[in-house]
Amino acid sequence: MRYTSSAFARVSGALIATLSLAFSILSTAAARADDEPDAVHHVEPPPGPDDHPATLSVEVHGGANAPIERSTICPPAAGCVLGLGVGVGVQIERRTSDRVGLWAGYDFWLLDSNAVFELGALHAIRGGVRYVFDDSTMVHPFVDAGIGLMAFGDTASVATVGGLITAGGGAELELSESVVFVTALEAWLFATAPFETRDAIERASDFGVNVALQITIGISVLVGPEAALR
């Protein structure tokens, strides 16, 4: 079969018309997509590290302490009631994504008292702040500071009360996603009200600051993000 020139022209015209119609439809669809960006499928990126919720953890620790200044509570020529000791403690910390933690805790020391007390006992309730320098690796160095109240006496009795300030630093070591090993070295500065021991010695009659160093090791357990505790 042969096509005449008029038939070829009709076929060519039909093809051109069809292509023009298809191009017009595609152009209209593209324009609508530009006018309605919400209709385009997109993927939401994950939240940044600073948008993560705060976390709550419980720390249990034990350690040893040594007084380095005790002249007010242990006057000259008197048996000293503030000697070497051991202690345990617990604290709860809420830490934000910017590595700042607010904590509150309780510490209990047993101290050598040179037989003036049967066994010297110091109780402390503290609250403070902890700042972690870097938590992107397994080891997290930190500094912390606290303030609180204390009671000191013989075993289960209370001979005096006072106030304290603590400051120090340490490091955390990640053992798992929710368990952290913690070690720290802190300086404790405290002063007490005057009191008299059973050897008839008046202690802390002149105001003065006592200083002790405490080294601790412990375990901190993450108990949940803040969002799950609201």
Side-chain angles (χ1 to χ4, degrees):
M1 177 183 290
R2 294 187 304 163
Y3 292 99
T4 62
S5 59
S6 59
F8 178 78
R10 287 196 297 273
V11 171
S12 299
L15 288 174
I16 292 173
T18 301
L19 292 174
S20 298
L21 179 61
F23 179 77
S24 177
I25 293 173
L26 291 174
S27 298
T28 302
R32 288 179 177 176
D34 291 338
D35 293 338
E36 301 178 5
D38 293 340
V40 180
H41 177 71
H42 62 280
V43 178
E44 289 287 347
D50 291 340
D51 295 327
H52 291 173
T55 57
L56 190 70
S57 63
V58 176
E59 177 184 319
V60 178
H61 56 254
N65 45 72
I68 57 177
E69 171 54 49
R70 51 191 178 181
S71 57
T72 62
I73 207 169
C74 295
C80 186
V81 295
L82 192 67
L84 298 175
V86 294
V88 294
V90 60
Q91 69 184 45
I92 299 176
E93 178 184 347
R94 178 187 179 275
R95 184 176 301 175
T96 62
S97 58
D98 54 4
R99 305 186 303 281
V100 176
L102 297 177
W103 56 265
Y106 166 76
D107 288 272
F108 174 64
W109 295 4
L110 291 175
L111 305 168
D112 177 21
S113 62
N114 279 308
V116 177
F117 288 155
E118 182 179 349
L119 187 61
L122 188 151
H123 307 261
I125 299 175
R126 299 184 293 153
V129 61
R130 174 176 291 181
Y131 178 73
V132 178
F133 290 102
D134 182 12
D135 59 3
S136 62
T137 61
M138 290 184 63
V139 179
H140 315 154
F142 66 82
V143 293
D144 66 8
I147 188 170
L149 300 174
M150 56 164 286
F152 179 60
D154 186 356
T155 317
S157 64
V158 174
T160 186
V161 295
L164 58 92
I165 297 174
T166 63
E172 302 171 341
L173 173 63
E174 293 182 7
L175 301 180
S176 71
E177 291 183 354
S178 59
V179 179
V180 176
F181 173 81
V182 184
T183 183
L185 176 65
E186 293 181 317
W188 287 49
L189 291 75
F190 56 95
T192 68
F195 66 104
E196 184 176 319
T197 49
R198 61 186 182 186
D199 56 356
I201 300 297
E202 183 75 18
R203 301 174 186 272
S205 55
D206 296 325
F207 178 79
V209 176
N210 307 283
V211 182
L213 293 179
Q214 176 175 265
I215 183 169
T216 59
I217 57 174
I219 294 291
S220 178
V221 179
L222 178 68
V223 296
E226 181 190 53
L229 300 173
R230 289 176 180 172

